[in-house]
């Protein structure tokens, strides 16, 4: 019963501190519990520790690519919603991202309402904190 009352968890993965701060604040304000990771290796580790309900994942990061992180997280939980958030906007980039397991693909810069709408569509409503 306790599990259903907790806020839904979102892991934001990007090597840009400004992006992580802005997206984290937007999601927290909307009622989500948020953690951030600065690279793919940290994202995979936090997938075990934080147990997110959804991941927002950049593609171009140091060390491992977002593709590698997506594949590793898919091995642990094939049903985990993973939304790629990338500056790569060409149709072939979008197709590639969806092809390697992303649930959705948003291009940067994105509209905050589009991001929240995507998160809500994948997670449903946010439980109240009461």
């Amino acid at each position: 019963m306790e599990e259903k009352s907790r806020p839904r968890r979102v892991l934001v993965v990007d090597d840009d501190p400004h992006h992580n701060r802005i997206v984290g604040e937007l999601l927290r304000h909307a009622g989500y519990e948020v953690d951030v990771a600065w690279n793919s290796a940290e994202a995979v580790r936090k997938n075990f520790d934080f147990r997110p309900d959804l991941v927002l994942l950049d593609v171009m990061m140091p060390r491992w690519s977002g593709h590698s992180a997506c594949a590793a997280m898919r091995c642990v939980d094939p049903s985990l919603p993973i939304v790629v958030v990338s500056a790569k906007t060409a149709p072939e980039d979008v197709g590639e991202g969806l092809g390697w397991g992303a649930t959705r693909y948003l291009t940067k810069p994105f509209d905050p309402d589009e991001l929240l709408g995507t998160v809500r569509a994948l997670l449903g409503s946010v439980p109240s904190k009461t």
Side-chain angles (χ1 to χ4, degrees), residues 16 26 29 40 42 55-56 60 62 64 68 90 93 97 103 105 115:
D16 178 353
L26 176 70
H29 182 71
S40 294
E42 184 180 17
V55 176
L56 298 174
M60 298 181 293
W64 303 351
S68 299
D93 294 321
T103 309
Y105 194 106
L115 178 70

Side-chain angles (χ1 to χ4, degrees), residues 1-7:
M1 196 75 137
E2 180 69 27
E3 185 70 19
K4 291 185 182 213
S5 66
R6 73 162 173 80

